[in-house]
Amino acid sequence: MTAPRTLYDKIWDDHVVHQAEDGTCLLYIDRHLVHEVTSPQAFEGLRMSGRKVRAPEKTIAVPDHNVPTTLDRANAATMTEDSRIQVAALDENARDFGIHYYPVSDVRQGIVHIVGPEQGWTLPGMTVVCGDSHTATHGAFGSLAHGIGTSEVEHVLATQTLIQRKAKNMKVEITGSLRAGVTAKDITLSVIGATGTAGGTGYVIEYCGQAIRELSMEGRMTVCNMAIEGGARAGLIAPDEKTFAYCMGRPHAPKGAKWEAAVAYWKTLFSDEGAHWDKVVTLRGEDIAPVVTWGTSPEDVLPITGTVPSPDSFTGGKVEAAQRSLDYMGLTPGQKLTDIAIDTVFIGSCTNGRIEDLRAAAAILKGKKIKVKRAMVVPGSGLVRAQAEEEGLAQIFIDAGFEWRLAGCSMCLAMNPDQLAPGERCAATSNRNFEGRQGRGGRTHLMSPAMAAAAALTGHLTDVREVMGETV
Amino acid sequence: MQKFTTLTGIAAPMPLVNIDTDMIIPKQFLKTIQRSGLGKNLFDEMRYTQDGQEIPEFVLNQPAYRNAEILIAGDNFGCGSSREHAPWALLDFGIRCVISTSFADIFYNNCFKNGILPIVMPQDVVDVLMADAKRGANARMTVDLVAQTVTTSDGQSFGFDVDSHRKHCLLNGLDDIGLTLEKASAIDRFESQAASLRPWA
Ligand code: SF4
């Protein structure tokens, strides 16, 4: 009998190619996702050293960060010159090195972390990397997924392996069920609020408990997506019937006998009874409220019923950081969160740009009009967009006064023209509220799609449960 | 990769906690397809006004710290995006060593790939180093990777830990890819085993 192992231990053990005496491992990588911003220097490095991509059939590229999301994006003039060069470089690298590619013109194009699962590239038990910190998203399938830097992108391209030391095991359990109006986004933000942005540093987190089991695959992806904001190297959720159902029939999922063999293996992917955890955090699902962020770090989380905190309520370096956040955000301690007026609403990103997110927002908006200056929905992929149109969600957004965009990262990081102006305040479903993230001087409040929709309707931060109360 | 053995230089104090990679190099500078040239935009939004004027209070704009080679920073330095543009920008500016109580994982890794040494020290040591850095350009710190010590301008010396593989690579300026390719036969073996164990992957 081997000692009880965690899910992370199991996936790790199955991918070690070589272990050095000091414990440094060479880990085999099953899927390598690539986007235009963090890859050009890596491909250039390969060219300069005359190296090839070792496993082009396991390497998948899609442009997402820079691409315009306006309907006229086929017109090259919608892109700045440097963005155009970066996307063109990916086109060329994909062609030259023979990797799978979804160009901007392809309906399957979208945010890399939405496209991977959608196309069946991401499967349980795999190791997945991408030159992007939100690679953690793929952990929702019980795959070990981490973000890497560009040098590592080059390393994986050349060798299909990654040099890693094993992280510690952390368990985050959400017991019981969520209350009405509370979503996966509120779970993941609340966990970061409880543990801090460095709480997971050095760990791989496994999320478990009834509230996690009750989430859809979309919701699980939202939870794992923000593991990185909690500092963790990766987030994981053990695969179950919901996972298998999601994967079945996807273009790159196995079929027939291979599918059967895969499911049999996937069913062994769970943390054994008695496995060792280096850290355990437990939250009660019933205690989680709809939350928003007030500051410029994702750990600055409060229930929507709260008030803006005073810097003095913190300790150490956080006192100065909180003061700086409040100045940047233009907020005063004691102010009720629901009194904060919103200019702009952004629904999208790899955190909340999937079909379920759009359904949740549309349910709040149906038959109503927005009171904010501008609001946009940016679906996570061309296929999410198409499905939302088919379900009539697009029309609900348009009727409410939202712009209905094409797929991309958009205002999540504002590398394309979708940006906030200085001082503009945004209710956003993305994952980072850093200074300048959505545009220099822009002020970001993170929240769930339902909460963002509620803010769009009232023009200020709003407890979605009150808006829901009106509708029923 | 540039080797790192010992470094004696000016240390700039940045006591702010949670300095993220968006602060280190904002996204508008990620559109480059090169590694070099990012130094002038390091900490861009803290360093320049909207119309490109230097903000005199910002530490790296102060005469004493314009040639800093070491940064002493608050907790959780380098959190956020995985962009390797962050260490590229630091390196291009001339920073070869960052010292903090903690680093975000990906950033920490990225430093070693670019010849930058990130050092984790306990809070009380960071406090001493921060105070020393605040004394300005005449206070030069020495970082000795061979001996694994940081020495302040007044001679207080503190040891630090570093992974032996990473130390070896930094000291010798070794490229990981070359080292890994020496294990190509192990990778081949793993691939053929995995192909029969997990044929769907
Ligand atoms: S949507 Fe935002 S967080 Fe996600 S990959 Fe794009 S830029 Fe990164």
Side-chain angles (χ1 to χ4, degrees), chain A residues 35 64-65 111-113 132-134 225 348-351 408-410 412-413 430-432 437:
Chain A
H35 67 76
D64 53 5
H65 283 63
I111 304 169
V112 62
H113 308 307
D132 191 285
S133 56
H134 290 98
N225 174 275
S349 87
C350 59
T351 316
C409 293
S410 178
C412 173
L413 93 164
S430 42
N431 43 54
R432 288 192 175 132
R437 173 76 178 184

Side-chain angles (χ1 to χ4, degrees), chain B residues 72-120:
Chain B
I72 316 288
D75 309 345
N76 200 25
F77 188 85
C79 59
S81 151
S82 63
R83 59 188 69 163
E84 199 161 317
H85 308 69
W88 294 339
L90 286 165
L91 188 67
D92 198 56
F93 179 91
I95 304 284
R96 296 292 314 276
C97 174
V98 186
I99 304 176
S100 173
T101 54
S102 58
F103 291 89
D105 214 45
I106 302 176
F107 174 83
Y108 185 77
N109 250 319
N110 283 342
C111 283
F112 286 101
K113 314 279 178 192
N114 291 284
I116 297 177
L117 174 63
I119 299 178
V120 179

